[in-house]
């Protein structure tokens, strides 16, 4: 039986997907430049030497220029790799090859590290559909990052990466949903 919260999440996700599809190439370029600058600033401000970050899909805020910068700076980058059991393995993507993951998302190829590998990073950057002003994250519905974050004993700072319009007053949430410590958008960095 679908709850009211699940209906609200589904409707909001559909609206956000549509908004992302309607961004112009100029809006994408502006967002990519601002996001890269803000992610660099956050990483330097936290003195992070090891990060966990995802490869962005075409309709997501573009993490790729930031990831190129991180590698050039000698940072260790862990990328999530989806598993069928709902957990995430991690890889440093040393092969330099991208594959299509379980849900059509880009994932790097490389030696797989266990779900525990994320415990050694200084900063976690996660995708999101929207973030509430209270720091509650609404993902895309698979629960991978909620499970990961909810199982960590000592979690480093977690920041969601979204477009500016995806920071909203309130997101529908359920007991398993995990908040984040901050949000990075093309125009700003906000800590909760």
């Amino acid at each position: 039986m679908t709850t009211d919260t699940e209906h609200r999440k589904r409707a909001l996700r559909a609206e956000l997907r549509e908004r992302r599809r309607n961004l112009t190439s100029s809006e994408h370029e502006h967002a990519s430049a601002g996001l890269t600058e803000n992610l660099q600033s956050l990483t330097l401000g936290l003195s992070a030497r090891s990060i966990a970050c995802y490869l962005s899909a075409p309709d997501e805020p573009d993490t790729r220029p930031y990831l190129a910068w991180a590698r050039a700076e000698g940072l260790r980058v862990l990328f999530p790799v989806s598993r069928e059991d709902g957990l995430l393995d991690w890889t440093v993507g040393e092969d330099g090859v991208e594959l299509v993951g379980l849900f059509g998302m880009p994932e790097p190829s490389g030696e797989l590290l266990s779900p525990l590998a994320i415990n050694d990073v200084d900063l976690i950057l996660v995708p999101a559909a929207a973030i509430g002003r209270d720091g509650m994250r609404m993902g895309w519905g698979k629960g991978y990052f909620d499970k990961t974050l909810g199982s960590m004993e000592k979690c480093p700072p977690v920041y969601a990466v979204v477009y500016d319009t995806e920071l909203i007053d309130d997101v529908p949430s359920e007991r398993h949903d995990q908040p984040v410590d901050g949000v990075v958008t093309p125009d700003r960095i906000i800590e909760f």
Side-chain angles (χ1 to χ4, degrees):
M1 184 171 157
T2 306
T3 66
D4 177 57
T5 301
E6 290 170 325
H7 280 297
R8 289 175 41 222
K9 281 182 169 182
R10 200 170 290 136
L12 182 54
R13 285 183 185 118
E15 177 187 329
L16 294 167
R17 275 190 189 95
E18 185 64 23
R19 268 196 235 162
R20 284 183 175 190
R21 278 190 216 111
N22 289 327
L23 289 173
T24 66
S25 59
S26 174
E27 288 170 322
H28 273 289
E29 287 172 25
H30 169 75
S32 179
L35 184 65
T36 300
E37 185 178 314
N38 287 337
L39 287 170
Q40 290 170 351
S41 177
L42 175 67
T43 304
L44 293 170
L46 293 173
S47 300
R49 299 300 309 151
S50 179
I51 58 172
C53 186
Y54 60 100
L55 285 174
S56 54
D59 63 342
E60 289 183 305
D62 191 2
T63 59
R64 291 163 189 276
Y66 164 72
L67 291 167
W69 170 83
R71 282 192 216 107
E73 291 293 308
L75 301 180
R76 181 173 186 255
V77 181
L78 287 183
F79 298 96
V81 177
S82 303
R83 294 178 10 173
E84 289 191 26
D85 64 2
L87 298 177
L88 292 172
D89 280 329
W90 298 90
T91 184
V92 294
E94 68 277 2
D95 296 351
V97 175
E98 273 188 40
L99 306 171
V100 176
L102 286 179
F103 302 102
M105 300 303 291
E107 294 179 351
S109 172
E111 179 186 348
L112 289 182
L113 308 172
S114 84
L116 299 176
I118 194 172
N119 288 312
D120 296 328
V121 300
D122 302 319
L123 170 64
I124 300 173
L125 299 169
V126 296
I131 301 294
R133 296 207 181 273
D134 60 354
M136 186 53 68
R137 173 187 173 271
M138 185 180 82
W140 292 105
K142 302 296 183 204
Y144 279 84
F145 284 99
D146 289 320
K147 286 177 193 157
T148 297
L149 299 175
S151 70
M152 293 181 76
E153 234 177 81
K154 183 175 178 265
C155 195
V158 178
Y159 282 74
V161 178
V162 295
Y163 290 107
D164 289 285
T165 58
E166 296 166 348
L167 177 60
I168 60 179
D169 289 336
D170 184 49
V171 297
S173 64
E174 298 171 274
R175 206 172 84 232
H176 67 271
D177 291 324
Q178 297 292 313
V180 293
D181 299 304
V183 63
V184 181
T185 75
D187 289 341
R188 56 198 158 167
I189 302 169
I190 298 173
E191 292 181 16
F192 299 113

